[in-house]
């Protein structure tokens, strides 16, 4: 609701603050990231918030999801399997996925892509290694690419592949000549059209009597 802030405390877990009064933020809860682990197991390095859930990058536990629907009583709802994803220092939530800077499974510098649509069962879909070496400790994303800052390099990887599964039919609308427009026989005619597709348009061809022109 815009009135919460969550602070990463490393092996101290997280602290939830009510920020309705900006000049007097008030702590309302403390939580150890201990889901399936001893209380000393967690090491929260970064947090991203979305729709009353906190997505934690935990260096020891991987991705940990916390339900903040009741801010005074936060609850860990799920986490990735630490053997698959851990040594995570940064996290960004995008769509149904959480993407973490990964310094373990990737071999040092990479990104762990986790399906987080079910907060109770976040599932690692892919671990992407990138060239550049070092230890991944920062991450940023856009709609297609992930940008990874490591201890020795800056790398870019693609996490979304534009694959056309032919689920949306492309459309083309002739804009010139217009309907019922009169033209002289033998004269040049300028043809224009607008073409749309959910993935992209590579080319547009014009035919007259089934012959390409």
């Amino acid at each position: 609701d815009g009135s919460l802030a969550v602070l990463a405390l490393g092996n101290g877990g997280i602290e939830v603050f009510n920020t309705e009064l900006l000049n007097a933020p008030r702590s309302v809860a403390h939580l150890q990231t201990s889901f399936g682990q001893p209380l000393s197991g967690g090491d929260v390095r970064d947090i991203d918030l979305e729709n009353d859930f906190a997505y934690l990058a935990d260096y020891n536990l991987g991705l940990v999801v916390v339900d903040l629907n009741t801010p005074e009583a936060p609850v860990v709802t799920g986490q990735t399997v630490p053997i698959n994803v851990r040594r995570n220092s940064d996290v960004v939530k995008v769509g149904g996925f959480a993407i973490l800077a990964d310094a373990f499974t990737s071999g040092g510098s990479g990104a762990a892509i986790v399906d987080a649509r079910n907060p109770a069962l976040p599932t690692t879909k892919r671990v992407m290694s990138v060239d550049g070496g070092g230890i991944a400790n920062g991450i940023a994303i856009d709609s297609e690419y992930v940008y990874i800052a490591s201890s020795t390099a800056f790398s870019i990887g693609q996490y979304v592949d534009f694959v056309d599964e032919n689920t949306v039919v492309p459309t083309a609308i002739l804009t010139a000549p217009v309907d019922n427009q009169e033209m002289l026989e033998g004269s040049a005619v300028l043809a224009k059209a607008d073409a749309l597709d959910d993935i992209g348009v590579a080319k547009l061809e014009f035919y007259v009597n089934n012959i390409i022109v």
Side-chain angles (χ1 to χ4, degrees), residues 4 13 23-24 26 41 61 129 144-145 149 153 160 173 181-182 187 201 212:
L4 289 181
N23 61 344
R26 177 172 53 89
L61 304 180
S129 298
E144 185 176 358
Y145 293 95
V160 171
I173 300 174
Q181 180 179 340
E182 294 183 358
S187 63
V201 177
I212 191 170

Side-chain angles (χ1 to χ4, degrees), residues 2-5 16-28:
S3 61
L4 289 181
V16 182
F17 289 86
N18 182 305
T19 58
E20 290 180 344
L21 299 177
L22 296 179
N23 61 344
R26 177 172 53 89
S27 175
V28 296

Side-chain angles (χ1 to χ4, degrees), residues 22-204:
L22 296 179
N23 61 344
R26 177 172 53 89
S27 175
V28 296
H30 176 83
L31 178 70
Q32 293 282 164
T33 55
S34 56
F35 189 75
Q37 299 287 329
L39 286 178
S40 60
D43 184 0
V44 183
R45 300 293 182 90
D46 188 48
I47 302 171
D48 202 359
L49 302 177
E50 184 181 84
N51 297 333
D52 294 321
F53 285 91
Y55 299 85
L56 317 182
D58 193 296
Y59 197 74
N60 294 332
L61 304 180
L63 177 72
V64 178
V65 184
V66 177
D67 186 341
L68 297 173
N69 277 285
T70 304
E72 296 78 9
V75 178
V76 175
T77 62
Q79 72 171 84
T80 51
V81 179
I83 196 172
N84 293 333
V85 175
R86 66 176 186 267
R87 296 184 185 172
N88 306 119
S89 297
D90 198 8
V91 60
V92 178
K93 181 68 168 52
V94 55
F97 294 89
I99 303 180
L100 302 100
D102 179 88
F104 174 71
T105 315
S106 66
S109 183
I113 301 171
V114 178
D115 185 339
R117 287 173 291 186
N118 182 355
L121 192 64
T123 305
T124 305
K125 290 298 185 181
R126 178 183 175 191
V127 177
M128 179 175 59
S129 298
V130 297
D131 295 331
I135 301 299
N137 49 39
I139 197 167
I141 62 172
D142 60 19
S143 60
E144 185 176 358
Y145 293 95
V146 56
Y147 305 87
I148 302 167
S150 76
S151 56
T152 60
F154 173 71
S155 305
I156 301 174
Q158 186 175 23
Y159 77 95
V160 171
D161 295 323
F162 285 123
V163 177
D164 195 343
E165 298 179 346
N166 298 316
T167 57
V168 177
V169 178
T171 61
I173 300 174
L174 191 66
T175 59
V178 298
D179 289 345
N180 300 317
Q181 180 179 340
E182 294 183 358
M183 291 165 286
L184 295 176
E185 184 178 354
S187 63
V189 177
L190 177 64
K192 293 183 179 180
D194 291 331
L196 297 174
D197 185 68
D198 61 321
I199 300 298
V201 177
K203 66 178 179 178
L204 179 65

